[in-house]
Amino acid sequence: MSSAPVGIFGGTFDPIHHGHLRLAQEALEQCRLREVRFIPSGTPPHRVAPLAAPAHRLEMVRQAIQGQTGFVLDEREAGRTDPCYSVDTLSALRAELGQDTPLCLLIGSDAFLQLHTWHQWQRLFELAHIVVMQRPGKPVGNAMAQADTGLLAQYQARLAPAPTLLHEAASGAIVVLDMLLLDISATDIRSRCAQKKSLRYLLPDSVNQYIQVNQLYTTC
Ligand code: ATP
């Protein structure tokens, strides 16, 4: 492979928090990625609409990653009002970055266990590797016993023992990596915010300030 892998990290980021940032940092280091692209979604197909407008969620990600080497904001999904499917975003990135650049879709283990519900999910493996960041006490391997049988088959066929393999092919492997447990969720942050509780130490100060100034999440 001619170039280092690029990490792709999509989410609603409603708002972005230290759990997201830690996932990206650990993937960057453990997989020796060239960069991690944060891609805030516009209208996600799998869930109710985010509370904050795309422009606010973009700005919060921009502020959260400002000055962080290797972290890049990708605005392509946020402006869209039609459903944004990962398979379409990855196809566009593949066309832009070329056939030889390894792409690594970064996801938490909770999201990975629902992968079979994603639009054209089997095509994801033609376009990218899947890097699953597993949290302590919740090994993906154990959870796979209860997983969808199609997903289990892909997992067994594609599981790679080490992240070095991500540098040797452009797509197609599943790599599971350990990450520190930061039991933070955007749902909990929105709820605390609506109750006028402090958000300190859950997300970057700049994002906290942005939320207060723009009076986001006053209801949840
Ligand atoms: P919500 O609470 O609104 O569902 P969230 O905090 O789970 O949001 P998302 O934007 O839905 O955030 O998540 C994007 C990705 O980040 C998913 O792959 C998810 O598994 C992962 N993720 C979210 N929170 C954490 C965390 N605390 N640690 C590790 N990964 C996380």
Side-chain angles (χ1 to χ4, degrees):
M1 285 294 115
S2 54
S3 53
V6 171
I8 312 295
F9 187 28
T12 47
F13 302 124
D14 189 24
I16 189 167
H17 54 68
H18 281 138
H20 298 132
L21 291 162
R22 192 63 217 168
L23 181 152
Q25 184 63 33
E26 296 215 20
L28 188 74
E29 288 173 5
Q30 292 190 51
C31 303
R32 292 184 291 111
L33 303 175
R34 188 203 315 178
E35 63 189 32
V36 174
R37 289 194 183 206
F38 288 74
I39 310 187
S41 54
T43 305
H46 286 110
R47 49 189 291 165
V48 292
L51 265 189
H56 283 313
R57 292 183 289 110
L58 265 184
E59 191 52 35
M60 288 189 281
V61 174
R62 193 191 317 279
Q63 299 209 5
I65 67 175
Q66 201 165 35
Q68 299 302 312
T69 306
F71 285 3
V72 175
L73 175 62
D74 187 320
E75 306 188 18
R76 76 184 63 223
E77 284 193 5
R80 290 176 50 177
T81 48
D82 54 329
C84 300
Y85 295 114
S86 296
V87 71
D88 297 332
T89 300
L90 286 173
S91 296
L93 284 163
R94 172 59 69 209
E96 284 167 32
L97 296 170
Q99 294 306 314
D100 289 345
T101 301
L103 299 181
C104 297
L105 184 66
L106 312 179
I107 56 177
S109 39
D110 51 339
F112 177 70
L113 292 168
Q114 297 304 316
L115 196 73
H116 59 285
T117 66
W118 294 22
H119 183 61
Q120 297 185 352
W121 69 278
Q122 311 245 17
R123 277 192 58 216
L124 296 171
F125 300 107
E126 295 164 19
L127 296 161
H129 301 296
I130 310 282
V131 175
V132 186
M133 304 302 288
Q134 85 183 348
R135 311 184 200 180
K138 291 190 183 173
V140 172
N142 291 2
M144 289 314 289
Q146 275 85 48
D148 173 79
T149 49
L151 183 60
L152 177 62
Q154 291 287 357
Y155 175 79
Q156 288 172 334
R158 297 179 179 279
L159 188 63
T164 46
L165 276 160
L166 302 172
H167 291 246
E168 291 163 18
S171 63
I174 296 174
V175 169
V176 179
L177 301 175
D178 288 323
M179 73 167 281
L180 182 78
L181 173 66
L182 288 178
D183 203 1
I184 301 171
S185 75
T187 303
D188 176 64
I189 289 174
R190 293 193 299 272
S191 162
R192 284 175 198 271
C193 194
Q195 296 171 59
K196 300 196 179 344
K197 289 182 178 168
S198 171
L199 306 184
R200 282 195 87 187
Y201 313 122
L202 298 173
L203 36 62
D205 287 342
S206 57
V207 177
N208 191 3
Q209 202 173 355
Y210 186 91
I211 290 170
Q212 307 310 326
V213 167
N214 291 280
Q215 299 182 359
L216 303 181
Y217 312 120
T218 51
T219 58
C220 64

